[in-house]
Amino acid sequence: MKINTTTLAKDFIKENVKNGDIVIDATMGRGNDTLFLRQLVGDSGFVYAFDIQEEAIKATENRLIENNIYSNVSLILDGHQNIDNYIKEDNISCVVFNFGYLPRANHNIATKPDTSITAIQKSLQVLKVKGVVSLCVYQGGDTGFEEKEAILNFVKNLDYNKYTVIVSDFFNRPNYPPIHIKIIKEI
Ligand SMILES: C[S@@+](CC[C@H](N)C(=O)[O-])C[C@H]1O[C@@H](n2cnc3c(N)ncnc32)[C@H](O)[C@@H]1O
């Protein structure tokens, strides 16, 4: 398979998440990332997953059950902008964002620039040193460009002494493919 935003994100997550870690899936959707994270952290780790849609919670629950996973995951029906109401630790290894809308559902229920930025900001606060944030950011089509521009502007201005930010863009591919952003907390 050709490299794409999803493979980039998965490789980055795999490199940075190990057994026993506490991690966050900030956009649960149909649970692919929640499952992936839970498999990486194992029975001694923990995954917090957020979504604003009941349908996402149900789909993710089913996905986990199909894979015989019944523990060490909390599926939270709330916006990722409120993660600080649920997560009091500051030892999170990885926060995963896959922005946009729930596939095969209403495209109008999607992540929004303001709440996305708040959620990224709060994620950085709960990360441990050397913890990472993985961001898959869509553009064009139903998504438009506003969220991508807002996120790029936000990460561009993060203090380079504290955070390393790497942006991957499939520069010669047509139709505005999604971009991947890596954030590493350095100190
Ligand atoms: C592209 S999907 C995520 C795909 C998912 N990671 C997977 O593995 O299937 C984006 C999800 O973000 C959710 N979402 C939108 N606004 C949100 C918010 N403020 N907080 C948390 N989730 C949100 C949508 O409901 C949708 O399910």
Side-chain angles (χ1 to χ4, degrees), residues 38 43 61-62 64-73:
R38 177 61 179 79
D43 292 340
E61 220 161 46
N62 290 338
L64 294 171
I65 290 168
E66 277 162 21
N67 285 275
N68 299 317
I69 289 173
Y70 302 95
S71 69
N72 299 45
V73 183

Side-chain angles (χ1 to χ4, degrees), residues 26-30 32-33 51-53 79-81 98-99 101:
T27 50
M28 187 188 320
R30 299 201 180 275
N32 298 304
D33 294 318
D51 207 290
I52 53 171
Q53 300 194 65
H80 42 217
Q81 63 276 18
N98 194 340
F99 293 101
Y101 49 81

Side-chain angles (χ1 to χ4, degrees), residues 84-99:
D84 53 329
N85 291 343
Y86 302 87
I87 292 155
K88 305 296 179 191
E89 293 113 305
D90 60 357
N91 58 346
I92 303 295
S93 303
C94 177
V95 187
V96 174
F97 287 85
N98 194 340
F99 293 101

